[in-house]
Amino acid sequence: MSIKLPPRCSDRYVLVRQAGAGGSSTVWLAHAGDSARPVALKVARERSFAPALAAEALHAALALSPRLPDLVDVGLLAIDGSVGHRVELGSDGTLPFIALGWVDGDSIEAQVRTGACAPDLALRVARDAGEALGDMHAVGLAHGDVKPANLVLGGDGRISLLDLGLACDAGSTEVAGGTVRYLPQDPRELGDARARDLLALGLVLAELACPEVARSSRPIGAARRATVPEPLAAICGALLTPEPGARPSARWVCETAAELLHGARSPREDLAAATAGRSRRQVRAAYLRLRRGEIAGATGAAPEVAPWLAPAIDVAVRARAMAATGGSAPQARDEPRPDSLLGPLDPEGRIRWLISLVGPSATAWPSDAVLGASETDLAHALDLLASRRRPALWSVRDVEAALAGGGAPPPKRTAPARERLGRGKLDAAAAASLALRLGRVPLDAEAVETVELLGDRAPAELCLAAADALRLAGELGRARSLVLRRPEGGAVRADILRRAGDLAQAAELARRCVEEGTDA
């Protein structure tokens, strides 16, 4: 899997109609060359906006996702009537541009405003926007402006997230833009850009599900007070957590919504293929996240590196050329200086790559096989392994087997929790098995996910045990979602709400516990 961006996509773009406009650029629906391929042609209003457009091009290339527009081209354009000609030398009348794949459809803004939403639309938005944000966050980027106007519903029923103009580093605490409605008024709830993306997504979902939230002038507070219908309540409760660091990952949002939507409509093979695709993109994103700083200034890649590096550097070189005053986006680079070529990751970088995929447990793994392989072979092995098993479930033997050419052993064919436990009442044997697994350290992710997906069918004791396991693992947003849906819990419930930032509610619950002399 790599970015497939040719040195020059087209010499000519036929402008069909203006699709949008902002303070710094105009967006056109256009056709690339003589082909019928539609593209979104974003043209800067003046050359001074070139650096921002160049950054957007690089962000689009790095955040490869089926739910984000793909980068088609970047360079300088001379517009003559209804035709834009791509030029290679800067001159008067040329303007910076980027071309992105055109996403056909309408934004969900009208559905939010009128309340005329299909019953499962909010879950589909959670799945697809969660996937887009998961792919961005994995490479170290945040979207910066999640709102209904930027979520487009296509004819195939899938949702795409548009407009990377405000994308920034996921860890940035500076609020450099965005839509005020989707930002918390309390600065303590802002957090970094990743956390702000997640809160905004939670609010969009609540607006889709609850018309009173969409009508409110203080929507975040209204969303937290609203009775969001099941099963969406599980996702909204976690995303709307006041404490920024407690909000769950976008990948969890996507995978939970996909399971909830699964039912009888989607073949299990389709769900497995989608999961494999996300896992493969996770391997690529984790690698590029480690190298983002180097990519920004590099001019080329050595031949023995991972296959995703050279295409990313190609985009960076062309974006830098476009951004430079009087520069251009060349068709081909001059031969790069040897000292500007990026080589393979050093041993520490390889271990960090593996830890970012598997988790802290990988720090104790033997590293001989990982350090002894070429980076190209390591990338190929991890990509193959990801197609068969989620990185969080890898063992050291899996990685060693993949490097030896055998790949990962095929996973046991087990149905997802909702199918395995049936759609009726949870029986005693299954409940006892879950209870034992919820007490494991480290966290048994599948057991917790089972309880989350069971929702109201799970006994109160299991919900509290799952919430406590999530609390101990630091997944406070998900723990909050579980305890908000059940009245039981006492002191544990109060502690989870306190840690998740619901201070008033936690204080009231703690006071009642003291008065009643209860601690559970």
Side-chain angles (χ1 to χ4, degrees):
M1 176 188 296
S2 63
I3 310 163
K4 297 189 180 300
L5 184 66
R8 183 171 60 188
C9 173
S10 175
D11 285 326
R12 190 167 65 96
Y13 290 92
V14 180
L15 310 183
V16 178
R17 63 176 172 84
Q18 184 173 316
S24 62
S25 62
T26 303
V27 179
W28 299 85
L29 168 61
H31 290 152
D34 296 323
S35 74
R37 181 185 182 182
V39 298
L41 196 68
K42 189 169 186 178
V43 184
R45 293 188 181 278
E46 56 185 69
R47 294 290 290 275
S48 63
F49 294 125
L53 208 57
E56 185 174 349
L58 185 56
H59 292 159
L62 290 173
L64 193 65
S65 174
R67 307 270 64 88
L68 294 167
D70 57 303
L71 180 66
V72 176
D73 200 3
V74 52
L76 291 173
L77 202 67
I79 297 179
D80 182 11
S82 63
V83 178
H85 297 276
R86 194 181 192 284
V87 297
E88 298 302 327
L89 295 176
S91 60
D92 292 341
T94 62
L95 293 171
F97 82 96
I98 61 173
L100 302 164
W102 178 260
V103 178
D104 200 16
D106 297 308
S107 81
I108 64 169
E109 193 170 23
Q111 286 96 320
V112 169
R113 188 171 56 251
T114 63
C117 304
D120 66 348
L121 177 60
L123 278 176
R124 286 187 281 134
V125 171
R127 177 195 62 195
D128 295 345
E131 182 164 26
L133 291 177
D135 289 329
M136 291 194 71
H137 296 171
V139 81
L141 298 172
H143 183 272
D145 198 18
V146 178
K147 60 183 179 180
N150 285 335
L151 291 162
V152 171
L153 175 61
D156 60 354
R158 301 304 296 261
I159 288 89
S160 296
L161 180 59
L162 307 188
D163 194 356
L164 299 184
L166 291 176
C168 62
D169 190 274
S172 174
T173 56
E174 178 185 0
V175 182
T179 303
V180 172
R181 178 177 178 84
Y182 297 91
L183 292 170
Q185 295 182 346
D186 187 340
R188 294 172 298 180
E189 297 184 9
L190 285 168
D192 60 19
R194 183 200 72 93
R196 296 194 295 273
D197 277 353
L198 295 167
L199 182 70
L201 176 57
L203 177 52
V204 170
L205 299 179
E207 287 180 321
L208 285 167
C210 305
E212 67 272 19
V213 176
R215 293 192 296 266
S216 175
S217 60
R218 300 176 69 88
I220 294 176
R224 289 175 178 152
R225 293 188 300 271
T227 303
V228 178
E230 294 288 355
L232 188 66
I235 297 174
C236 280
L239 288 172
L240 293 170
T241 301
E243 173 58 42
R247 292 166 199 154
S249 70
R251 187 173 299 277
W252 174 83
V253 173
C254 171
E255 293 177 352
T256 301
E259 286 281 4
L260 292 169
L261 282 165
H262 168 59
R265 297 177 307 153
S266 304
R268 168 55 44 182
E269 292 74 15
D270 290 351
L271 199 57
T275 301
R278 286 192 292 272
S279 295
R280 295 183 65 197
R281 294 196 304 276
Q282 185 181 355
V283 171
R284 169 194 176 274
Y287 175 84
L288 291 179
R289 182 171 189 163
L290 288 172
R291 313 215 70 170
R292 267 181 59 208
E294 298 173 292
I295 289 169
T299 58
E304 65 271 17
V305 297
W308 316 295
L309 186 60
I313 293 175
D314 283 343
V315 175
V317 168
R318 293 162 56 186
R320 287 200 306 269
M322 180 187 73
T325 302
S328 63
Q331 292 187 44
R333 298 191 304 268
D334 294 331
E335 191 67 18
R337 299 186 307 275
D339 61 357
S340 65
L341 292 176
L342 286 189
L345 287 168
D346 59 22
E348 180 184 352
R350 290 192 181 200
I351 299 302
R352 289 172 60 201
W353 183 17
L354 201 58
I355 292 171
S356 69
L357 292 168
V358 179
S361 61
T363 57
W365 288 4
S367 57
D368 292 350
V370 171
L371 299 183
S374 71
E375 186 173 290
T376 305
D377 289 343
L378 179 60
H380 174 75
L382 297 184
D383 181 65
L384 178 62
L385 187 54
S387 70
R388 301 179 179 184
R389 183 169 296 171
R390 287 192 302 169
L393 302 179
W394 291 353
S395 69
V396 64
R397 290 184 179 179
D398 291 336
V399 175
E400 289 174 346
L403 284 167
K412 294 179 181 179
R413 178 65 176 93
T414 57
R418 283 157 57 88
E419 295 177 18
R420 186 169 63 252
L421 296 173
R423 297 188 181 277
K425 185 177 179 181
L426 183 66
D427 61 52
S433 174
L434 275 177
L436 290 173
R437 294 172 61 192
L438 290 171
R440 291 177 181 171
V441 177
L443 179 75
D444 186 326
E446 186 185 42
V448 173
E449 290 167 5
T450 298
V451 175
E452 290 175 319
L453 292 170
L454 284 169
D456 292 341
R457 292 198 297 128
E461 295 81 4
L462 282 183
C463 282
L464 185 59
D468 197 31
L470 287 167
R471 174 187 67 155
L472 296 174
E475 290 277 2
L476 293 168
R478 293 166 62 186
R480 173 185 186 268
S481 177
L482 280 173
V483 299
L484 283 177
R485 296 153 72 193
R486 306 298 286 261
E488 303 84 2
V492 171
R493 187 167 182 252
D495 185 55
I496 288 172
L497 293 174
R498 178 184 65 82
R499 292 172 183 266
D502 291 285
L503 301 182
Q505 193 172 354
E508 174 60 22
L509 184 56
R511 183 188 63 78
R512 291 206 307 267
C513 287
V514 171
E515 289 178 352
E516 297 168 4
T518 61
D519 60 356

